[in-house]
C-alpha cells in the first residue's frame, strides 16, 4: 500500500498535548485522541496515533488542558432564554439601579415596541423578593411592561399592564398562583406562578422567525460553554412565545440545528389524561434529524422562594411559626397516578419538575405504580431540581429506575437562598436541600442540567458548586452549603457528560471518549483535575466540537 495515501483508517483530526477525561473512569488519562469522519477512531499514545494521520489531518494541541466529552444539559430552556437575550435582558445585573437603567434604555431604543418584555431579575434584590409596579412606572409609564424573574415563576409588571389586563384589588388569586398585594388589596406589581397568565395572555407572541433567531443565539451561547446536546424541558406554547416544536423542526430540517436535542412535550396541568393522544401525535411528527420530541414534561410544583414548592410540612412565617401554606401540587396526585403509568406504557420518557419533598414523594409514588404495572423498561425517567428531599425517598430513585437531575449551581449560599428560603423552611428542613451526595450514595443515577435562563448554563460553574458547595468566585470565607452533600470532581463531570447522555438516550453515540463514539468533544484551557478544587470555576472552554467539526473556538 502507498504509505503516502490515506487508508480507510486514516484520521483527519488528532488531539494531543494534554490529558483526557473519558467519563468511563474517575481519573483523566494521558492519551491522544484520533478522529475520522466525525467519529473517534482511537484513544492511545500519541506516537501510535500519529501513524493513523492522513496527509491533511488537523492537529489540536491541548497545551496542557483537558479533553472531555461534550457537556450535555438535561434541563434547559434555550428558545425562551434565547428570545430573552434578544429582548430586555436583565440577567447581567443584580441591583435595582442596574435593572431600571437597562429597562429605560431598552424602551428608548425600541419606541415601536407595543410591550416591553424580557426578564432575568433576581428576587433577592427586592425587599421580601417583591418588586413593585411603581418602580417600573418611574421608567416606563406609557407602555405595558412584563418582565419574568430569573426562575420564570414570577413576573414584574407596571400599572399600565395591570390596567390593560383588568387586574384590580377585586381580582381573585388563581388556583395555581398569587397576586402580591398592598395592604388594601391593590396589586403591588408582582404576579406569582399562574397569576402571571392574567397579564401574560395579552403579551404579543414572538414570531416564528424571532423564536428561531432566539434558538440559534442560544445554540451559539451553549456551544461556547462546551455544550453539544441538551434536553429542552418546555416544548409547547408559552406567554410571549409561539409553539417551539415547529421552531425546532424547522431548524432540524434546514441543518441550522447542529446540537443534538431531546424535546420534552409540555403536560397541561389544567387538563387530564385526555391530552395523552395529542402528545402521542406530537411525538409522531416531532422527530426530525437531530431533534426528537420523545419526552413528556410534568411540572409538579413551584419554587420555595414564593412558597409554591410542594412541601410535606407548612412553610414558616417571618417569626418562625408554621403557616397554613405547604405549597402547591400543580397536578393532583390522583391524576399523576393515572397518567404516569399510561405514558410509561406508551414509551414516553417522563421529565418531572419536583422541587419540594411532597412533590418528590408524589412523583416517586406514581413511578412506583408505573413499574408495578408495566415492569422495568428503558424510558429513563428523571426528576429535576430536587431542592428538598425527605431522606426516606433517597433509595427509591434506584428502586423505580429514575435519575436525579441536578441543578448544581443552586446548592450554595447566596441572598435568594439565605434571605428568602432558609428562614421559611427552618433549619432542620433546610439541611435536606440539594442532597447530591446522599442521592449518589443511595444508588441514584446523577444527570445534570442548568435550567437556563433561570441560571447560568455554564457546566463548569455547576461542577464547581457540586464539588465545593460554594458559589464560584465567592472565596473560602463563604461557608460551604451542607458540605457533606458535595460530589467528587469525577462524579460531577460524569453527571454533566455520560449521565446526561444517558438521560437523553444519546449514550450509545455520545457522552464518553471511546472509539466508535461521535466526536462531540470539548477542549478546556486547563485540567481541573490537576488543580485545587476552589479553582474549578475558573476553567474556560477553548474549543467545542460536534461530529469532529469545531462549532466554537475562543479567539486568542
Amino acid at each position: 500500500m502507498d504509505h503516502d495515501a490515506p487508508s480507510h483508517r486514516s484520521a483527519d483530526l488528532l488531539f494531543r498535548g494534554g490529558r483526557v477525561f473519558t467519563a468511563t473512569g474517575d481519573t483523566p488519562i494521558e492519551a491522544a485522541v484520533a478522529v475520522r469522519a466525525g467519529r473517534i477512531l482511537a484513544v492511545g499514545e500519541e506516537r501510535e496515533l500519529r501513524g493513523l494521520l492522513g496527509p491533511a489531518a488537523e492537529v489540536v494541541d491541548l497545551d496542557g488542558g483537558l479533553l472531555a466529552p461534550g457537556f450535555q444539559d438535561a434541563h434547559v430552556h434555550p428558545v425562551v432564554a434565547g428570545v430573552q437575550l434578544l429582548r430586555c435582558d436583565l440577567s447581567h445585573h443584580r441591583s435595582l439601579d442596574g435593572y431600571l437603567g437597562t429597562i429605560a434604555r431598552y424602551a428608548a431604543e425600541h419606541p415601536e415596541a407595543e410591550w416591553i418584555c424580557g426578564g432575568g431579575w433576581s428576587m433577592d434584590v427586592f425587599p421580601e423578593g417583591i418588586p413593585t409596579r411603581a418602580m417600573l412606572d418611574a421608567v416606563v409609564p406609557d407602555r405595558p411592561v412584563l418582565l419574568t424573574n430569573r426562575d420564570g415563576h414570577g413576573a414584574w409588571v407596571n400599572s399600565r399592564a395591570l390596567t390593560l389586563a383588568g387586574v384590580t384589588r377585586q381580582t381573585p388569586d388563581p388556583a395555581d398562583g398569587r397576586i402580591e398585594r398592598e395592604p388594601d388589596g391593590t396589586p403591588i406589581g408582582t404576579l406569582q406562578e399562574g397569576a402571571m397568565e392574567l397579564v401574560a395572555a395579552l403579551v404579543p407572541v414572538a414570531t416564528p422567525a424571532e423564536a428561531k433567531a432566539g434558538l440559534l443565539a442560544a445554540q451559539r451561547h451553549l456551544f461556547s460553554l462546551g455544550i453539544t446536546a441538551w434536553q429542552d424541558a418546555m416544548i409547547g406554547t408559552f406567554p410571549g412565545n409561539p409553539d417551539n416544536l415547529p421552531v425546532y423542526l424547522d431548524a432540524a430540517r434546514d441543518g441550522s440545528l447542529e446540537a443534538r436535542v431531546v424535546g420534552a412535550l409540555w403536560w397541561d396541568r389544567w387538563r387530564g389524561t385526555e391530552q395523552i393522544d395529542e402528545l402521542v401525535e406530537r411525538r409522531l411528527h416531532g422527530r426530525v434529524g437531530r431533534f426528537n420530541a420523545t419526552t413528556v414534561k410534568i411540572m409538579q410544583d413551584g419554587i420555595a422562594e414564593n412558597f409554591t414548592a410542594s412541601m410535606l410540612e407548612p412553610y414558616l412565617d417571618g417569626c418562625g411559626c408554621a403557616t397554613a401554606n405547604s405549597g402547591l401540587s400543580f397536578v393532583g396526585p390522583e391524576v399523576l397516578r393515572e397518567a404516569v403509568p399510561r405514558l410509561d406504557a406508551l414509551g414516553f420518557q417522563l421529565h418531572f419538575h419536583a422541587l419540594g419533598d411532597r412533590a418528590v414523594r408524589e412523583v416517586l409514588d406514581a413511578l412506583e405504580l408505573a413499574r408495578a404495572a408495566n415492569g422495568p423498561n428503558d424510558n429513563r425517567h428523571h426528576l429535576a431540581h430536587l431542592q428538598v428531599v425527605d431522606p426516606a425517598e433517597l433509595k427509591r430513585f434506584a428502586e423505580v429506575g429514575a435519575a436525579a437531575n441536578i441543578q448544581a449551581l443552586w446548592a450554595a449560599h447566596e441572598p435568594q437562598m439565605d434571605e428568602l428560603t432558609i428562614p421559611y423552611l427552618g433549619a432542620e428542613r433546610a439541611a435536606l436541600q440539594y442532597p447530591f451526595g446522599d442521592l449518589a450514595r443511595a444508588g441514584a443515577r446523577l444527570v445534570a442540567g442548568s435550567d437556563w435562563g433561570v441560571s447560568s448554563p455554564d457546566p463548569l460553574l455547576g461542577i464547581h458548586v457540586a464539588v465545593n458547595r460554594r458559589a464560584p468566585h465567592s472565596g473560602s470565607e463563604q461557608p460551604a452549603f451542607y458540605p457533606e452533600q458535595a460530589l467528587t470532581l469525577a462524579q460531577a463531570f460524569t453527571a454533566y457528560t455520560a449521565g446526561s447522555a444517558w438521560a437523553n438516550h444519546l449514550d450509545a453515540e455520545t457522552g464518553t471518549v471511546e472509539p466508535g463514539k461521535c466526536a462531540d468533544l470539548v477542549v478546556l484551557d486547563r485540567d481541573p483535575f490537576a488543580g485545587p478544587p476552589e479553582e474549578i470555576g475558573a476553567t474556560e472552554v477553548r474549543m467545542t466540537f460536534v461530529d469532529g467539526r469545531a462549532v466554537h473556538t475562543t479567539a486568542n
Side-chain angles (χ1 to χ4, degrees):
M1 183 177 68
D2 181 357
H3 290 282
D4 292 329
S7 74
H8 70 284
R9 293 273 298 168
S10 294
D12 49 45
L13 178 63
L14 179 72
F15 297 92
R16 51 84 54 205
R19 293 202 298 173
V20 181
F21 180 74
T22 65
T24 62
D26 291 343
T27 306
I29 61 173
E30 299 284 349
V33 175
V35 173
R36 178 183 181 274
R39 289 189 178 268
I40 296 169
L41 178 63
V43 180
E45 293 187 15
E46 180 185 348
R47 60 184 177 79
E48 295 179 356
L49 269 54
R50 279 195 174 273
L52 300 176
L53 296 184
E58 177 186 1
V59 177
V60 174
D61 187 352
L62 301 178
D63 194 23
L66 185 74
L67 181 70
F71 298 120
Q72 300 197 22
D73 194 317
H75 184 108
V76 66
H77 307 285
V79 179
V80 174
V83 169
Q84 180 177 298
L85 288 175
L86 305 177
R87 290 182 171 177
C88 187
D89 182 18
L90 306 179
S91 63
H92 299 294
H93 299 280
R94 205 66 177 263
S95 70
L96 178 58
D97 287 346
Y99 292 158
L100 295 181
T102 298
I103 295 163
R105 284 191 299 275
Y106 182 88
E109 292 168 0
H110 296 83
E112 78 293 346
E114 182 183 350
W115 281 68
I116 304 302
C117 295
W121 54 272
S122 294
M123 294 175 67
D124 56 82
V125 169
F126 304 95
E128 299 182 347
I130 301 173
T132 70
R133 68 185 191 283
M135 296 171 181
L136 286 176
D137 293 345
V139 292
V140 187
D142 56 338
R143 284 179 284 173
V145 180
L146 184 146
L147 302 163
T148 55
N149 67 10
R150 73 180 194 185
D151 56 37
H153 292 262
W156 182 15
V157 296
N158 68 350
S159 296
R160 181 64 178 153
L162 291 167
T163 299
L164 288 174
V167 178
T168 69
R169 71 181 67 180
Q170 284 77 38
T171 304
D173 288 347
D176 63 341
R178 184 174 67 252
I179 303 168
E180 302 291 0
R181 302 175 189 269
E182 297 172 354
D184 67 355
T186 300
I188 200 168
T190 299
L191 306 173
Q192 308 285 14
E193 299 291 350
M196 293 188 289
E197 296 289 337
L198 298 172
V199 173
L202 303 180
V203 173
V205 175
T207 66
E210 289 170 330
K212 186 176 181 182
L215 169 60
L216 298 183
Q219 179 176 248
R220 289 190 295 273
H221 184 52
L222 295 173
F223 281 162
S224 76
L225 300 173
I227 296 167
T228 57
W230 64 78
Q231 184 162 147
D232 190 313
M234 198 163 63
I235 299 296
T237 302
F238 304 94
N241 290 272
D243 183 2
N244 53 10
L245 179 58
V247 175
Y248 270 112
L249 295 177
D250 178 48
R253 288 190 185 101
D254 69 17
S256 56
L257 181 67
E258 299 172 87
R260 306 177 204 279
V261 181
V262 173
L265 301 167
W266 190 255
W267 177 270
D268 183 349
R269 64 187 184 230
W270 292 108
R271 302 171 65 194
T273 55
E274 72 276 6
Q275 65 188 288
I276 289 177
D277 288 345
E278 297 169 22
L279 293 168
V280 170
E281 185 71 12
R282 280 170 71 79
R283 177 176 63 177
L284 178 64
H285 299 289
R287 308 181 73 168
V288 173
R290 293 176 178 265
F291 179 78
N292 291 283
T294 50
T295 299
V296 170
K297 167 70 177 298
I298 297 177
M299 186 168 170
Q300 187 59 17
D301 67 342
I303 61 170
E305 294 90 335
N306 68 9
F307 316 121
T308 58
S310 180
M311 297 293 183
L312 292 169
E313 300 294 334
Y315 289 95
L316 307 181
D317 61 19
C319 298
C321 299
T323 69
N325 175 31
S326 57
L328 299 173
S329 293
F330 290 139
V331 180
E334 67 287 348
V335 176
L336 203 64
R337 288 193 295 267
E338 179 185 359
V340 168
R342 287 183 57 183
L343 290 164
D344 177 68
L346 289 166
F348 280 106
Q349 178 185 69
L350 296 174
H351 181 161
F352 299 93
H353 170 123
L355 196 141
D357 51 8
R358 189 173 85 229
V360 172
R361 180 170 295 178
E362 289 167 345
V363 168
L364 291 172
D365 285 348
L367 289 173
E368 189 174 71
L369 288 175
R371 175 158 283 212
N374 305 325
N377 56 40
D378 196 38
N379 291 344
R380 306 185 183 185
H381 310 310
H382 47 119
L383 286 70
H385 308 329
L386 304 173
Q387 181 165 354
V388 180
V389 182
D390 187 277
E393 313 301 333
L394 295 168
K395 68 182 189 318
R396 298 183 68 198
F397 284 78
E399 290 172 354
V400 302
N405 187 333
I406 64 172
Q407 283 63 59
L409 194 61
W410 304 348
H413 286 290
E414 49 94 20
Q416 192 156 305
M417 171 61 71
D418 294 340
E419 298 169 14
L420 300 178
T421 304
I422 290 176
Y424 303 98
L425 293 178
E428 183 177 351
R429 187 165 43 180
L432 303 178
Q433 293 185 93
Y434 303 119
F436 307 153
D438 282 348
L439 284 162
R441 287 184 284 271
R445 185 188 295 268
L446 300 183
V447 308
S450 66
D451 207 13
W452 183 56
V454 172
S455 48
S456 169
D458 189 341
L460 291 160
L461 299 183
I463 290 169
H464 177 100
V465 177
V467 173
N468 291 281
R469 301 289 286 200
R470 291 185 176 94
H473 318 304
S474 62
S476 59
E477 68 277 2
Q478 182 190 72
F481 185 81
Y482 308 107
E484 66 276 11
Q485 300 300 342
L487 299 177
T488 67
L489 183 53
Q491 285 176 316
F493 252 86
T494 300
Y496 278 90
T497 53
S500 291
W502 178 89
N504 289 331
H505 282 89
L506 292 172
D507 52 314
E509 296 279 280
T510 68
T512 59
V513 181
E514 298 178 273
K517 292 284 187 81
C518 296
D520 292 5
L521 303 165
V522 59
V523 176
L524 305 181
D525 70 342
R526 68 195 73 189
D527 181 353
F529 288 85
E534 58 270 21
E535 294 182 7
I536 294 169
T539 307
E540 295 184 353
V541 171
R542 278 182 50 208
M543 303 180 78
T544 306
F545 292 80
V546 173
D547 288 332
R549 185 177 67 84
V551 294
H552 168 76
T553 301
T554 300
N556 293 325

